[in-house]
Amino acid sequence: MAQASAVRAATAPAPVADAAPAPAPAPAADMSAAPQQATTASGGGASLAAETVAPAKTPLRTGGTVHNLLANWTGKGFRLLSTAPPAPVHGKSSHAGSVWDDARQTMWIFGAETHKYAMDNAVYGWRASDGLFVKHYDADPSSGYRMDAQGIYWSSAAKIRPWAMHTYRRMRMVPGTDEFEVVYDPHEHAYMTPLVYENPAHTTANRAPAMWYYNVVTGTWRHRSFGSSTKLVRASYTYPVGFDPVHGWFTGDGSTWKRLSPTGVYSTVSVSGKSNGQYHSYMFVKDGVAYRVGGNSSTTLYSRHPLSNITLSKKFYVADFPQLAGYTVNNMASAMMSDGRIVIFPTKGSETHAMILDPATNTLMTTGHFFTGMDKPTLYELAAEWSPSHNAVILLSRRFSASRVYAYRP
């Protein structure tokens, strides 16, 4: 059996297992200098009721073991890049969401294992520039978790950061900005309730979960509520959220498609029998069509959803693809390339393979590339993000084994 850090590719040599020592941490170019005291956004002297901005900080911690730099690699297949350091720099971030920030060549990670009281609401990142992990602030102790009088969940009385959340596949980098977006109800899937209710008459039923935005340059959080956005945020927490600039945000539970328009109008429509019905799937959008790929079942490979007429949705079965015989697709990672094709990562035993799905033509191509090393490869261990600059998928193994970052180039 291959070693835990072994990587194999049909067209590229295996990466060096033990490279030179990691370079010194690079200057923190991704966050600006700013006063440490709390500030509140305002305009014309009036406080913004729906948006609260926290103070900017420089990263508290940076580290990791660098095996290879992505910029130095021109091959195809898989490549081991970095291994995360132990806490307090990186805490595995189980059930966290991720986004790829191509402007800063960074995978941002936010979210926590919310099945326990000691949740971690820190923001992490992995930087391709130096192969290191960065932690923007230390996690807030859960002893300060509270719900304010408007129903918003905060991590402390300072009200500068949100509660930890189970953000798996419910984040996106907002194009043209320095912010990533989180669409999640922090109360869902958490094993604790707020320890402080600022309105003593309230219970968790009074919560009004908002959309959260984190500015990776200034290190500030803000939240936004508009129209019926609360309904979308609270909907179907185990399913992914997608976004289209014309049609807005959408999610669904396999039988009902749920949508929030850009103006805040919430609507639902039946897609019974036309959606994959699989939670823990990925959601991608290309040319007005949404694709849900994978999930916790072995029956459906993906589903197709034309956003202009969602009733024309259709699902496609694993059994229709002979290339997948002998593979496990349960909870596999996937990432959409710039051209609309989707790299999927089914498993065979201890091996994680790469195949390329073209949802426009409903075809699947094998590549012969695979790697080994994850403790439980079928249990949604990988975060997967496409980097247009490097023409590669960035993969973070973050749940069971020591967290490692891989690259995969088709």
Side-chain angles (χ1 to χ4, degrees):
M1 180 176 293
Q3 296 296 318
S5 61
V7 180
R8 298 181 184 177
T11 57
V16 178
D18 293 299
D30 55 319
M31 298 188 73
S32 62
Q36 299 295 311
Q37 69 270 19
T39 59
T40 301
S42 62
S47 177
L48 295 180
E51 298 184 0
T52 300
V53 179
K57 288 186 176 182
T58 55
L60 290 181
R61 309 181 194 280
T62 306
T65 300
V66 180
H67 302 282
N68 299 276
L69 286 179
L70 183 56
N72 295 339
W73 177 52
T74 59
K76 294 184 178 182
F78 290 94
R79 192 77 167 178
L80 174 64
L81 301 176
S82 303
T83 299
V89 179
H90 184 66
K92 291 187 181 295
S93 296
S94 300
H95 294 166
S98 62
V99 292
W100 178 255
D101 178 359
D102 212 49
R104 276 154 289 273
Q105 295 294 290
T106 299
M107 176 189 277
W108 298 110
I109 308 151
F110 172 70
E113 169 59 89
T114 58
H115 301 294
K116 57 186 180 183
Y117 289 92
M119 298 190 291
D120 185 347
N121 74 321
V123 171
Y124 298 88
W126 175 83
R127 302 189 299 211
S129 60
D130 56 13
L132 299 178
F133 283 79
V134 61
K135 186 176 185 179
H136 275 197
Y137 53 82
D138 281 330
D140 295 309
S142 56
S143 59
Y145 282 15
R146 64 193 56 236
M147 187 174 82
D148 70 14
Q150 286 71 49
I152 304 298
Y153 278 20
W154 299 96
S155 62
S156 73
K159 298 182 183 178
I160 60 174
R161 290 189 284 265
W163 198 344
M165 305 181 208
H166 188 297
T167 59
Y168 198 53
R169 299 170 186 174
R170 297 176 74 96
M171 291 171 56
R172 71 180 179 108
M173 199 73 197
V174 182
T177 76
D178 298 319
E179 295 182 319
F180 64 70
E181 176 188 76
V182 180
V183 183
Y184 192 76
D185 177 1
H187 177 76
E188 293 289 353
H189 223 46
Y191 277 17
M192 62 179 289
T193 57
L195 300 178
V196 175
Y197 291 90
E198 296 187 359
N199 183 337
H202 281 176
T203 68
T204 57
N206 298 105
R207 70 187 187 278
M211 295 181 178
W212 287 93
Y213 297 84
Y214 182 73
N215 189 307
V216 301
V217 173
T218 63
T220 59
W221 279 101
R222 68 180 178 92
H223 67 282
R224 180 188 183 204
S225 297
F226 65 103
S228 297
S229 60
T230 297
K231 291 184 179 180
L232 191 282
V233 177
R234 293 180 69 164
S236 308
Y237 76 91
T238 57
Y239 293 88
V241 170
F243 176 81
D244 175 85
V246 174
H247 299 279
W249 296 262
F250 37 85
T251 184
D253 59 6
S255 61
T256 303
W257 189 261
K258 304 174 183 182
R259 172 181 169 243
L260 180 73
S261 76
T263 59
V265 177
Y266 180 75
S267 60
T268 63
V269 64
S270 174
V271 288
S272 181
K274 301 177 180 180
S275 182
N276 60 13
Q278 297 171 316
Y279 60 81
H280 292 152
S281 53
Y282 279 83
M283 182 88 81
F284 306 107
V285 184
K286 181 71 172 179
D287 298 330
V289 179
Y291 301 96
R292 283 178 49 184
V293 181
N296 72 316
S297 171
S298 60
T299 303
T300 306
L301 179 59
Y302 74 103
S303 54
R304 183 179 190 274
H305 307 274
L307 297 176
S308 60
N309 187 353
I310 207 68
T311 61
L312 298 179
S313 296
K314 183 178 180 180
K315 59 183 177 180
F316 301 86
Y317 296 96
V318 172
D320 294 332
F321 298 91
Q323 305 94 317
L324 291 172
Y327 288 87
T328 299
V329 300
N330 304 58
N331 299 311
M332 68 179 175
S334 59
M336 177 175 276
M337 298 188 287
S338 300
D339 62 7
R341 293 180 298 160
I342 300 170
V343 185
I344 65 173
F345 297 96
T347 61
K348 178 182 285 187
S350 63
E351 302 169 353
T352 299
H353 288 247
M355 298 184 185
I356 299 177
L357 170 68
D358 187 339
T361 60
N362 192 34
T363 56
L364 182 65
M365 181 184 74
T366 59
T367 66
H369 300 145
F370 70 92
F371 77 97
T372 63
M374 291 189 294
D375 290 350
K376 300 179 181 180
T378 63
L379 291 176
Y380 53 96
E381 182 175 349
L382 285 171
E385 303 292 340
W386 175 254
S387 168
S389 297
H390 291 288
N391 194 38
V393 183
I394 308 302
L395 297 159
L396 172 63
S397 168
R398 77 288 175 77
R399 183 169 167 80
F400 295 101
S401 62
S403 297
R404 301 182 182 92
V405 178
Y406 301 89
Y408 174 72
R409 183 173 288 127

